[in-house]
């Protein structure tokens, strides 16, 4: 299963659309937004993508609570299971315990991926390109014996989207 992951879109709807469209083109079957959605239009993009999705509230998303029942908005930490894999989705990196197979977080605006003790910790970085002149997002492919993470980056004012792949061997328990 391929899961598209975006976070920290803030007010950059066009950048969010580019990230979502790229993930769909590359085979995403499910989408996650790790918070700081900010603009309700990003929720519309997720809903209109035709994919199942979850979006967690970020520290800048309180105003979106009025749309809670209209979109798949959840509070952190949000636990779920997908493709025989347990997940914890959050915005703030406060619940960083390895109590699931995959921990997805955001807030720092920095891409990071670490595989420790059979748990994958993943921050897809910032779509909004606020802290650096670079928009970034990720794809997580779940295989029986492996996690494959693809980091996507696009420099501002560029049409080129670069990809970098990270592979982690899973030990099934």
């Amino acid at each position: 299963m391929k899961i598209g992951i975006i976070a920290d879109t803030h007010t950059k709807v066009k950048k969010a659309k580019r990230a979502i469209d790229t993930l769909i083109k590359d085979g995403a079957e499910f989408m996650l937004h790790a918070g700081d959605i900010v603009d309700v239009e990003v929720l519309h993009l997720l809903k209109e993508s035709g994919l199942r999705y979850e979006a967690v509230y970020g520290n800048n998303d309180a105003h979106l609570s009025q749309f809670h029942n209209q979109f798949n908005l959840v509070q952190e930490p949000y636990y779920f299971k997908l493709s025989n894999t347990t997940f914890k989705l959050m915005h703030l990196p406060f619940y960083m315990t390895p109590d699931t197979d995959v921990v997805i977080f955001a807030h720092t605006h920095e891409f990071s991926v670490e595989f420790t003790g059979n748990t994958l910790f993943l921050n897809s970085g910032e779509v909004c390109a606020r802290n650096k002149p670079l928009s970034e997002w990720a794809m997580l492919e779940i295989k029986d014996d492996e996690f494959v993470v693809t980091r996507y980056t696009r420099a501002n004012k560029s049409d080129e989207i670069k990809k970098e792949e990270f592979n982690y061997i899973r030990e099934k328990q």
Side-chain angles (χ1 to χ4, degrees):
M1 167 164 264
K2 289 185 174 184
I3 301 165
I5 305 165
I6 61 174
D8 292 297
T9 51
H10 290 266
T11 59
K12 305 300 183 180
V13 176
K14 287 181 184 174
K15 290 179 189 288
K17 181 172 178 13
R18 183 178 290 113
I20 292 167
D21 288 349
T22 301
L23 290 164
I24 290 170
K25 181 176 87 40
D26 285 358
E29 301 163 75
F30 194 90
M31 291 290 298
L32 294 173
H33 195 305
D36 275 1
I37 303 155
V38 180
D39 194 316
V40 70
E41 194 56 39
V42 173
L43 292 172
H44 283 285
L45 291 173
L46 287 168
K47 190 172 188 174
E48 293 163 5
S49 74
L51 299 179
R52 293 180 303 147
Y53 72 92
E54 299 287 352
V56 70
Y57 289 99
N59 58 298
N60 290 299
D61 293 332
H63 65 285
L64 295 176
S65 64
Q66 64 184 312
F67 303 106
H68 187 83
N69 293 329
Q70 187 178 350
F71 300 99
N72 293 342
L73 285 163
V74 296
Q75 295 181 358
E76 64 181 353
Y78 179 68
Y79 292 87
F80 63 100
K81 189 171 185 177
L82 191 62
S83 191
N84 294 318
T85 303
T86 58
F87 286 82
K88 178 169 43 177
L89 174 64
M90 60 192 155
H91 180 68
L92 296 170
F94 290 161
Y95 311 98
M96 298 297 286
T97 53
D99 55 349
T100 57
D101 299 317
V102 179
V103 175
I104 295 174
F105 64 101
H107 186 65
T108 64
H109 291 242
E110 293 293 328
F111 173 84
S112 68
V113 61
E114 184 179 336
F115 190 65
T116 306
N118 215 32
T119 297
L120 181 72
F121 294 87
L122 177 59
N123 182 333
S124 63
E126 63 174 7
V127 168
C128 67
R130 183 184 76 183
N131 291 356
K132 54 190 164 289
L134 190 70
S135 184
E136 52 195 350
W137 59 96
M139 179 88 79
L140 170 60
E141 184 174 1
I142 300 170
K143 298 181 178 184
D144 286 340
D145 59 351
E146 183 181 25
F147 289 127
V148 180
V149 176
T150 303
R151 176 189 187 204
Y152 294 79
T153 57
R154 181 191 160 270
N156 286 345
K157 299 181 181 171
S158 170
D159 290 330
E160 182 183 9
I161 296 173
K162 296 181 181 179
K163 298 177 189 178
E164 182 179 9
E165 193 171 283
F166 305 84
N167 299 71
Y168 303 96
I169 302 300
R170 298 176 70 181
E171 293 178 28
K172 279 303 207 179
Q173 302 182 358

mmCIF file of all heavy atoms in Angstrom, residues 69-84:
data_model
loop_
_atom_site.group_PDB
_atom_site.id
_atom_site.type_symbol
_atom_site.label_atom_id
_atom_site.label_comp_id
_atom_site.label_asym_id
_atom_site.label_seq_id
_atom_site.Cartn_x
_atom_site.Cartn_y
_atom_site.Cartn_z
ATOM 1 N N ASN A 69 -17.037 17.778 11.140
ATOM 2 C CA ASN A 69 -17.922 16.722 10.637
ATOM 3 C C ASN A 69 -17.987 16.661 9.116
ATOM 4 O O ASN A 69 -18.483 15.688 8.558
ATOM 5 C CB ASN A 69 -19.332 16.893 11.206
ATOM 6 C CG ASN A 69 -19.357 16.661 12.699
ATOM 7 O OD1 ASN A 69 -18.587 15.870 13.235
ATOM 8 N ND2 ASN A 69 -20.215 17.384 13.395
ATOM 9 N N GLN A 70 -17.463 17.673 8.460
ATOM 10 C CA GLN A 70 -17.493 17.722 7.000
ATOM 11 C C GLN A 70 -16.287 16.995 6.383
ATOM 12 O O GLN A 70 -16.353 16.518 5.255
ATOM 13 C CB GLN A 70 -17.514 19.189 6.545
ATOM 14 C CG GLN A 70 -17.715 19.389 5.069
ATOM 15 C CD GLN A 70 -17.774 20.868 4.706
ATOM 16 O OE1 GLN A 70 -17.846 21.740 5.563
ATOM 17 N NE2 GLN A 70 -17.717 21.149 3.422
ATOM 18 N N PHE A 71 -15.193 16.943 7.132
ATOM 19 C CA PHE A 71 -13.952 16.331 6.640
ATOM 20 C C PHE A 71 -13.455 15.302 7.660
ATOM 21 O O PHE A 71 -13.934 15.257 8.784
ATOM 22 C CB PHE A 71 -12.882 17.409 6.421
ATOM 23 C CG PHE A 71 -13.286 18.444 5.419
ATOM 24 C CD1 PHE A 71 -13.786 19.667 5.828
ATOM 25 C CD2 PHE A 71 -13.180 18.195 4.056
ATOM 26 C CE1 PHE A 71 -14.168 20.630 4.908
ATOM 27 C CE2 PHE A 71 -13.561 19.149 3.124
ATOM 28 C CZ PHE A 71 -14.065 20.372 3.551
ATOM 29 N N ASN A 72 -12.489 14.499 7.270
ATOM 30 C CA ASN A 72 -11.931 13.488 8.165
ATOM 31 C C ASN A 72 -10.852 14.106 9.053
ATOM 32 O O ASN A 72 -9.670 13.761 8.943
ATOM 33 C CB ASN A 72 -11.355 12.316 7.363
ATOM 34 C CG ASN A 72 -12.421 11.547 6.646
ATOM 35 O OD1 ASN A 72 -13.601 11.641 6.975
ATOM 36 N ND2 ASN A 72 -12.042 10.783 5.648
ATOM 37 N N LEU A 73 -11.268 14.993 9.938
ATOM 38 C CA LEU A 73 -10.356 15.651 10.873
ATOM 39 C C LEU A 73 -10.315 14.864 12.180
ATOM 40 O O LEU A 73 -11.355 14.454 12.690
ATOM 41 C CB LEU A 73 -10.816 17.083 11.153
ATOM 42 C CG LEU A 73 -10.545 18.077 10.028
ATOM 43 C CD1 LEU A 73 -11.392 19.333 10.205
ATOM 44 C CD2 LEU A 73 -9.072 18.424 9.993
ATOM 45 N N VAL A 74 -9.110 14.667 12.703
ATOM 46 C CA VAL A 74 -8.934 13.908 13.937
ATOM 47 C C VAL A 74 -8.015 14.678 14.884
ATOM 48 O O VAL A 74 -7.273 15.564 14.467
ATOM 49 C CB VAL A 74 -8.348 12.503 13.644
ATOM 50 C CG1 VAL A 74 -9.320 11.677 12.811
ATOM 51 C CG2 VAL A 74 -6.994 12.584 12.966
ATOM 52 N N GLN A 75 -8.096 14.311 16.157
ATOM 53 C CA GLN A 75 -7.246 14.937 17.166
ATOM 54 C C GLN A 75 -6.050 14.046 17.448
ATOM 55 O O GLN A 75 -6.128 12.824 17.319
ATOM 56 C CB GLN A 75 -8.042 15.196 18.443
ATOM 57 C CG GLN A 75 -9.143 16.218 18.231
ATOM 58 C CD GLN A 75 -9.921 16.492 19.503
ATOM 59 O OE1 GLN A 75 -9.675 15.901 20.537
ATOM 60 N NE2 GLN A 75 -10.864 17.411 19.416
ATOM 61 N N GLU A 76 -4.966 14.684 17.847
ATOM 62 C CA GLU A 76 -3.738 13.929 18.127
ATOM 63 C C GLU A 76 -3.671 13.455 19.570
ATOM 64 O O GLU A 76 -4.271 14.085 20.425
ATOM 65 C CB GLU A 76 -2.510 14.788 17.784
ATOM 66 C CG GLU A 76 -2.354 16.032 18.633
ATOM 67 C CD GLU A 76 -1.145 16.867 18.239
ATOM 68 O OE1 GLU A 76 -0.324 16.477 17.401
ATOM 69 O OE2 GLU A 76 -1.022 17.939 18.813
ATOM 70 N N PRO A 77 -2.946 12.376 19.816
ATOM 71 C CA PRO A 77 -2.443 11.433 18.815
ATOM 72 C C PRO A 77 -3.583 10.544 18.323
ATOM 73 O O PRO A 77 -4.432 10.123 19.095
ATOM 74 C CB PRO A 77 -1.406 10.626 19.587
ATOM 75 C CG PRO A 77 -1.901 10.644 21.002
ATOM 76 C CD PRO A 77 -2.580 11.973 21.175
ATOM 77 N N TYR A 78 -3.603 10.293 17.047
ATOM 78 C CA TYR A 78 -4.649 9.498 16.428
ATOM 79 C C TYR A 78 -4.064 8.146 16.022
ATOM 80 O O TYR A 78 -3.120 8.080 15.230
ATOM 81 C CB TYR A 78 -5.218 10.222 15.205
ATOM 82 C CG TYR A 78 -6.297 9.459 14.497
ATOM 83 C CD1 TYR A 78 -7.533 9.257 15.093
ATOM 84 C CD2 TYR A 78 -6.086 8.937 13.224
ATOM 85 C CE1 TYR A 78 -8.538 8.547 14.441
ATOM 86 C CE2 TYR A 78 -7.079 8.229 12.566
ATOM 87 C CZ TYR A 78 -8.298 8.043 13.180
ATOM 88 O OH TYR A 78 -9.288 7.338 12.531
ATOM 89 N N TYR A 79 -4.619 7.082 16.583
ATOM 90 C CA TYR A 79 -4.155 5.724 16.309
ATOM 91 C C TYR A 79 -5.087 5.058 15.302
ATOM 92 O O TYR A 79 -6.302 5.177 15.406
ATOM 93 C CB TYR A 79 -4.147 4.893 17.593
ATOM 94 C CG TYR A 79 -3.109 5.332 18.591
ATOM 95 C CD1 TYR A 79 -3.377 6.340 19.521
ATOM 96 C CD2 TYR A 79 -1.860 4.727 18.624
ATOM 97 C CE1 TYR A 79 -2.420 6.741 20.450
ATOM 98 C CE2 TYR A 79 -0.894 5.112 19.554
ATOM 99 C CZ TYR A 79 -1.183 6.117 20.456
ATOM 100 O OH TYR A 79 -0.234 6.512 21.367
ATOM 101 N N PHE A 80 -4.500 4.354 14.348
ATOM 102 C CA PHE A 80 -5.303 3.590 13.394
ATOM 103 C C PHE A 80 -4.450 2.474 12.804
ATOM 104 O O PHE A 80 -3.227 2.432 12.994
ATOM 105 C CB PHE A 80 -5.886 4.494 12.300
ATOM 106 C CG PHE A 80 -4.864 5.172 11.416
ATOM 107 C CD1 PHE A 80 -4.569 4.669 10.163
ATOM 108 C CD2 PHE A 80 -4.202 6.311 11.843
ATOM 109 C CE1 PHE A 80 -3.636 5.293 9.348
ATOM 110 C CE2 PHE A 80 -3.273 6.952 11.035
ATOM 111 C CZ PHE A 80 -2.991 6.441 9.783
ATOM 112 N N LYS A 81 -5.113 1.572 12.084
ATOM 113 C CA LYS A 81 -4.420 0.455 11.450
ATOM 114 C C LYS A 81 -4.761 0.457 9.971
ATOM 115 O O LYS A 81 -5.912 0.679 9.590
ATOM 116 C CB LYS A 81 -4.844 -0.865 12.096
ATOM 117 C CG LYS A 81 -4.020 -2.051 11.660
ATOM 118 C CD LYS A 81 -4.359 -3.275 12.499
ATOM 119 C CE LYS A 81 -3.437 -4.428 12.145
ATOM 120 N NZ LYS A 81 -3.699 -5.595 12.985
ATOM 121 N N LEU A 82 -3.742 0.211 9.155
ATOM 122 C CA LEU A 82 -3.905 0.226 7.712
ATOM 123 C C LEU A 82 -2.907 -0.771 7.135
ATOM 124 O O LEU A 82 -1.725 -0.739 7.509
ATOM 125 C CB LEU A 82 -3.617 1.640 7.202
ATOM 126 C CG LEU A 82 -3.938 2.021 5.788
ATOM 127 C CD1 LEU A 82 -5.432 1.900 5.516
ATOM 128 C CD2 LEU A 82 -3.512 3.473 5.536
ATOM 129 N N SER A 83 -3.352 -1.644 6.286
ATOM 130 C CA SER A 83 -2.469 -2.610 5.636
ATOM 131 C C SER A 83 -1.655 -3.418 6.652
ATOM 132 O O SER A 83 -0.440 -3.550 6.527
ATOM 133 C CB SER A 83 -1.552 -1.887 4.647
ATOM 134 O OG SER A 83 -0.871 -2.802 3.834
ATOM 135 N N ASN A 84 -2.343 -3.912 7.673
ATOM 136 C CA ASN A 84 -1.719 -4.702 8.741
ATOM 137 C C ASN A 84 -0.568 -3.974 9.434
ATOM 138 O O ASN A 84 0.380 -4.603 9.909
ATOM 139 C CB ASN A 84 -1.244 -6.061 8.215
ATOM 140 C CG ASN A 84 -2.398 -6.928 7.802
ATOM 141 O OD1 ASN A 84 -3.415 -6.988 8.497
ATOM 142 N ND2 ASN A 84 -2.281 -7.592 6.666
#
